[in-house]
Amino acid sequence: MPTVQRISPCLWFDSEAEEAARFYTGIFKNSRIGTITRYGKAGFETHHRPAGSVMVVQFTLDGQEFTALNGGPLFKFNEAISFQVNCETQKEIDYYWEKLTAGGDPKAQQCGWLKDKYDLSWQVVPTMMGELFKDEKSGKSQRVMEAMLRMKKLDVAELKKAYAG
């Protein structure tokens, strides 16, 4: 019997839940759309959604469970919450950066952070980033910080070069 992920994010969309879930599952391996639940007639006076329209989409991204809810325009995403995509190689960083920035706001790209076309914030980072900043007082870490602050998409070779001095 499959185990249920105890904690999983629920993403509030105006009306793009299914579209967004399909976008995300098209990017990450080991991903799929699960159950799609639709609004019924009950509660229309509260939710104002037509019966039969998508209410909730359960989906999995790289083995992690998510829920997307069409809740209306009341709430928007902001940078206080983001999803980190930990990448082993520059090739992975390039892939996820290209896919997630498609249609997003180029002005919202800095230091490996981006906003996708749904205004959801992501961080596309190398897994070795923690090692580069392990000793925040060292000259090595300071040089990495200076290099990173000049970047939109992170460049592993440049970060390593800055670390080495």
Side-chain angles (χ1 to χ4, degrees), residues 15-110:
S15 59
E16 308 88 359
E18 183 176 10
E19 175 187 317
R22 293 197 186 286
F23 175 71
Y24 299 136
T25 57
I27 294 173
F28 293 90
K29 64 181 180 189
N30 189 26
S31 300
R32 66 179 181 75
I33 300 289
T35 304
I36 298 177
T37 306
R38 299 185 180 277
Y39 282 101
K41 292 179 183 176
F44 179 80
E45 60 284 345
T46 302
H47 58 68
H48 306 288
R49 299 292 172 150
S53 64
V54 173
M55 179 173 67
V56 173
V57 180
Q58 302 292 128
F59 64 105
T60 304
L61 294 183
D62 207 6
Q64 299 292 309
E65 298 294 322
F66 288 79
T67 300
L69 166 71
N70 281 332
L74 187 60
F75 299 113
K76 304 287 183 199
F77 297 125
N78 68 49
E79 295 80 2
I81 297 289
S82 63
F83 293 109
Q84 282 189 328
V85 181
N86 296 302
C87 300
E88 294 292 329
T89 65
Q90 186 67 48
K91 185 176 179 180
E92 281 186 334
I93 290 171
D94 295 344
Y95 170 81
Y96 288 112
W97 188 267
E98 177 187 343
K99 298 294 184 184
L100 291 168
T101 59
D105 181 1
K107 293 181 207 136
Q109 299 172 1
Q110 182 66 38

